[in-house]
């Protein structure tokens, strides 16, 4: 079943504290509004209307950069008028198509919630996600004794709330009360049947300043951990020092390569690129390009770390193993950890460098070359 969405983002959100209205503030590096737009796009919404102010319309292109399939409509003086403006902007859609009306201040909208609301709507005039009230309710009226209330049959209403577009337009036209507190209320008042779909505790409405701290923590639930691994080897040749994990070590040989041949940095760079599906080091720094002749490999690692950041991701930890008979790595391990931590902007305890031999077997055992392997964990938006 196709559906459209209206996201109401016209409020000033003064309860959330001074400064920017809450729908424009970032949560985990992404504007609150963008979370919902991405959720509706992922659920294949046929059209998404964002109802906002004149200033908001200007902010949209920046906040929703790279996303298509949405349009803006101008908000009204009240939430109900803003919703009606959003519905009017969907005039090109079938009038019996479901419209999901969502508060921009609820960023953690899941596909499961959207599908649940659409399913509930199949047997009702309107539908909303809601959670049963779990806390005991107390009424404290000034001048009266505290009273414990029954929570039986009580629900916490969330959004998106859905009905066919013509149902919503008719119900708003017939509504004669004050400002309705949500969208199914106008359908209820018009005699429509409203169904409840499963709500989601993550679908909290960001209202107060402290809600943003909680949202930052909840955003972790909307992120995934990725793992990448890398391997590299270089041949020993004549020289006086060798670069390993960004540290120069005096040695009676050096590693031969197009760049500085730092196999530790190369393996780690490949591991990071692997974790984010960005190819390998040769794609980004072709050995055929004279620009990289003798290049310091820390810039390769830095570039990979910047690609992670550009995806809204973060490196969790890295672990490098150097495989050689000589030189002895142990005296240099701490310096290597500190250098890698510095390049990656990580605490040292999230950076590991280990060393092993191959018991004189194979190319590393015979002293023909040195090998390095690396593993990295990265967290990114889901
Ligand atoms: Mg290499």
């Amino acid at each position: 079943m196709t559906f459209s969405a209206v996201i109401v983002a016209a409020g000033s959100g003064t309860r959330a504290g001074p400064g920017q209205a809450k729908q424009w503030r970032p949560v985990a590096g992404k504007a609150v509004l963008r979370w919902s737009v991405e959720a509706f796009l992922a659920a294949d919404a046929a059209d998404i209307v964002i109802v906002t102010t004149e200033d908001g319309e200007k902010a949209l292109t920046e906040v929703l950069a790279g996303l298509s399939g949405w349009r803006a409509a101008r908000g009204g003086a009240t939430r109900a008028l803003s919703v009606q403006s959003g519905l009017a902007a969907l005039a090109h859609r079938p009038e019996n198509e479901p419209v999901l009306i969502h508060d921009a201040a609820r960023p953690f909208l899941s596909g499961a919630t959207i599908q649940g609301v659409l399913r509930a709507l199949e047997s009702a005039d309107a539908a909303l996600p809601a959670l049963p009230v779990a806390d005991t309710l107390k009424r404290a009226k000034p001048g009266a004794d505290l009273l414990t209330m029954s929570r039986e049959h009580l629900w916490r209403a969330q959004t998106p709330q859905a009905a066919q577009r013509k149902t919503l337009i008719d119900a708003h036209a017939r509504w004669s009360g004050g400002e309705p507190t949500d969208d199914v209320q106008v359908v209820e008042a018009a005699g429509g049947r409203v169904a409840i779909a499963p709500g989601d505790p993550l679908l909290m409405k960001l209202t107060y300043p402290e809600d943003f701290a909680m949202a930052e923590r909840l955003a972790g639930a909307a992120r995934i951990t990725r793992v990448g691994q890398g391997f590299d080897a270089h041949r020993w040749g004549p020289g006086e020092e060798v670069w390993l994990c960004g540290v120069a070590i005096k040695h009676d040989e050096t590693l031969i390569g197009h760049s500085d041949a730092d196999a530790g940095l190369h393996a780690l760079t490949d591991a990071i690129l692997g974790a984010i599906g960005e190819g390998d080091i040769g794609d980004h720094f072709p050995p055929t390009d004279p620009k990289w002749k003798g290049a310091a490999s820390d810039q390769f690692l830095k570039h990979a770390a910047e690609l992670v950041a550009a995806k809204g991701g973060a490196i969790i930890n890295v672990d490098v193993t150097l495989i050689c008979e000589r030189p002895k790595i142990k005296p240099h391990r701490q310096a290597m950890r500190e250098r890698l931590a510095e390049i990656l902007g990580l605490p040292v305890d999230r950076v590991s460098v280990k060393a092993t031999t191959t018991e004189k077997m194979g190319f590393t055992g015979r002293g023909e070359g040195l090998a390095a392997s690396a593993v990295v964990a990265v967290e990114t938006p889901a």
Side-chain angles (χ1 to χ4, degrees), residues 229-234 242-247 255 259-272 281 297-298 300-301 318-323 329 336 340 343-344 352-354 370-375:
Q229 71 95 30
F231 179 84
D232 193 32
H234 282 269
V242 57
W243 283 89
L244 288 171
C245 293
V247 173
L255 291 172
S259 65
D260 64 6
D262 189 328
L265 288 187
H266 295 181
L268 182 51
T269 301
D270 259 357
I272 294 171
I281 195 168
S297 298
D298 55 355
F300 304 158
L301 183 61
V318 305
D319 184 14
V320 181
T321 303
L322 300 173
I323 306 159
I329 301 300
M336 292 175 177
L340 294 180
I343 298 168
L344 296 171
S352 162
V353 175
K354 310 198 299 294
L370 173 146
S373 79
V375 177

Side-chain angles (χ1 to χ4, degrees), residues 144-201:
D145 289 338
L146 190 81
L147 204 61
T148 300
M149 311 292 291
S150 168
R151 65 180 173 225
E152 204 183 352
H153 308 311
L154 290 184
W155 295 78
R156 294 159 51 202
Q158 299 182 317
T159 73
Q161 303 191 346
Q164 293 182 1
R165 189 166 55 89
K166 67 170 164 28
T167 306
L168 287 163
I169 290 172
D170 291 349
H172 272 281
R174 289 168 64 180
W175 174 260
S176 56
E179 172 72 357
T181 60
D182 67 7
D183 297 288
V184 296
Q185 190 181 1
V186 296
V187 180
E188 279 163 45
R193 202 184 89 73
V194 177
I196 288 178
D200 182 352

Side-chain angles (χ1 to χ4, degrees), residues 86-219:
L87 293 171
L90 288 171
H92 60 290
R93 300 296 309 169
E95 64 172 10
N96 62 351
E97 183 177 74
V99 179
L100 273 63
I101 301 169
H102 186 56
D103 288 336
R106 297 181 187 270
F108 304 129
L109 173 61
S110 72
T113 298
I114 293 171
Q115 295 310 323
V117 169
L118 287 170
R119 253 195 314 277
L121 184 62
E122 285 171 11
S123 54
D125 300 304
L128 79 160
L131 290 168
V133 172
D135 298 324
T136 298
L137 296 176
K138 303 287 185 190
R139 190 172 74 181
K141 250 179 32 176
D145 289 338
L146 190 81
L147 204 61
T148 300
M149 311 292 291
S150 168
R151 65 180 173 225
E152 204 183 352
H153 308 311
L154 290 184
W155 295 78
R156 294 159 51 202
Q158 299 182 317
T159 73
Q161 303 191 346
Q164 293 182 1
R165 189 166 55 89
K166 67 170 164 28
T167 306
L168 287 163
I169 290 172
D170 291 349
H172 272 281
R174 289 168 64 180
W175 174 260
S176 56
E179 172 72 357
T181 60
D182 67 7
D183 297 288
V184 296
Q185 190 181 1
V186 296
V187 180
E188 279 163 45
R193 202 184 89 73
V194 177
I196 288 178
D200 182 352
L202 286 179
L203 197 48
M204 61 185 279
K205 184 174 186 175
L206 304 185
T207 307
Y208 302 104
E210 56 269 30
D211 292 344
F212 278 79
M214 197 190 299
E216 285 290 340
R217 303 187 71 154
L218 290 176

Side-chain angles (χ1 to χ4, degrees), residues 282-333:
D283 294 335
H284 296 266
F285 306 98
T288 49
D289 188 338
K291 190 161 71 173
W292 308 118
K293 185 158 177 52
S297 298
D298 55 355
Q299 62 191 309
F300 304 158
L301 183 61
K302 201 170 284 171
H303 177 71
E306 283 165 4
L307 289 178
V308 173
K311 287 177 180 287
I315 295 168
I316 300 172
N317 72 302
V318 305
D319 184 14
V320 181
T321 303
L322 300 173
I323 306 159
C324 59
E325 302 291 330
R326 305 173 51 240
K328 286 269 166 273
I329 301 300
K330 200 170 180 182
H332 308 286
R333 267 172 70 179

